[in-house]
């Protein structure tokens, strides 16, 4: 077989034949070698308003409402609770207690396998289109550098794992609910993964994975995540609230803002920090729990 190289393509005369595989191989461009894994470093990303527009637990509740697990009125109360929390902008012991109750109400008596299945379905339906492409690009840069990338969120860990898996990340740290024989008991293991608990979680993960937090990065939109941001050597503010923006400027932290014009207005009311979403959702959570009781 006689082959002639011309203009970067295989050419043939009438008697020769070039297969698609040969042509593809000839045209292939080799990328630079993948860097060796940086085993000391990882990146930690908050979810709500950092990786995703709005609150992931709200979208999960919306998906449950679509499946008639509670009413649209309950969902409206859920959203109103988020809005009120956002306006107040404060968290106290009462809010934390309320958030805990709401989180338990959502899963008590449910099979773990059902929640995992619903998480997958609801992500595809209402969450996928709300991922900030800019934040995802930041995460992919860390993966390309051979680093682990973890989500860290107050959202139930099953939902957080779904988001992480869909984005091709390493894994997720989220609020853990106790289970027995594959069913949620209505109790949490520890408490909500929020505030200082996020910092504790990444320290524990760093010890398990052999990470050096001084070489790690963290990304969040909320001043409530200062403990996590301050625990790493490379903190970043993403779509920051005013308090975090001021803190980032004062300390010279990088600021990434992927919000533009109309999008900021659209997400202002339904968006809330992870704990705020749970606290605001107590009405819907209690309604759902009552639904389970009445149908049992």
């Amino acid at each position: 077989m006689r082959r002639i190289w011309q203009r970067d393509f295989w050419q043939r005369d009438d008697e020769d034949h070039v297969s698609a595989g040969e042509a593809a191989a000839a045209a292939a461009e080799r990328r630079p070698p993948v860097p060796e894994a940086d085993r000391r470093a990882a990146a930690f990303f908050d979810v709500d308003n950092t990786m995703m527009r709005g609150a992931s637990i709200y979208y999960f509740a919306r998906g449950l409402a679509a499946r008639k697990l509670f009413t649209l009125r309950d969902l409206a109360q859920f959203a109103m609770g988020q809005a009120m929390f956002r306006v107040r902008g404060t968290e106290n012991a009462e809010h934390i207690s309320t958030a805990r109750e709401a989180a338990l109400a959502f899963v008590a008596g449910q099979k773990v396998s059902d929640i995992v299945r619903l998480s997958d379905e609801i992500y595809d339906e209402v969450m996928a289109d709300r991922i900030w492409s800019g934040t995802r690009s930041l995460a992919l840069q860390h993966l390309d550098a051979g680093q682990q990338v973890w989500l860290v969120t107050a959202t139930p860990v099953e939902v957080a794992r779904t988001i992480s898996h869909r984005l091709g990340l390493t894994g997720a740290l989220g609020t853990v609910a106790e289970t027995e024989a594959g069913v949620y008991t209505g109790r949490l293991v520890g408490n909500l993964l929020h505030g200082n608990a996020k910092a504790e979680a990444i320290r524990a993960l760093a010890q398990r994975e052999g990470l050096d937090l001084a070489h790690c990065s963290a990304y969040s939109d909320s001043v409530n995540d200062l403990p996590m941001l301050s625990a790493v050597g490379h903190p970043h503010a993403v779509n920051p609230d005013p308090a975090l923006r001021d803190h980032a400027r004062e300390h010279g932290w990088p600021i990434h803002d992927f919000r533009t014009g109309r999008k900021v207005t659209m997400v202002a009311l339904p968006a809330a920090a992870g704990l705020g979403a749970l606290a605001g959702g107590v009405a819907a959570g209690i309604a759902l729990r009552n639904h389970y009781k009445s149908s049992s």
Side-chain angles (χ1 to χ4, degrees), residues 39-79:
R39 301 187 183 280
R40 297 180 303 169
F44 303 100
F45 285 81
D46 172 54
V47 173
D48 298 345
N49 296 316
T50 303
M51 184 61 74
M52 175 185 297
R53 295 194 300 273
S56 51
I57 193 65
Y58 169 78
Y59 297 129
F60 186 64
R62 177 174 160 182
L64 295 180
R67 288 160 174 78
K68 310 301 183 184
L69 291 178
F70 57 87
T71 69
L72 292 177
R73 180 180 178 182
D74 294 329
L75 183 62
Q77 289 177 306
F78 191 111

Side-chain angles (χ1 to χ4, degrees), residues 43-47 50-51 135-136 138-140 142 149-153 169 217-220 228 238:
F44 303 100
F45 285 81
D46 172 54
V47 173
T50 303
M51 184 61 74
T135 310
R136 185 180 186 185
L138 292 173
L140 294 178
H142 287 280
V149 177
W150 294 81
L151 299 180
V152 187
T153 175
L169 309 181
S217 304
Y219 298 78
S220 178
M228 178 178 74
V238 178

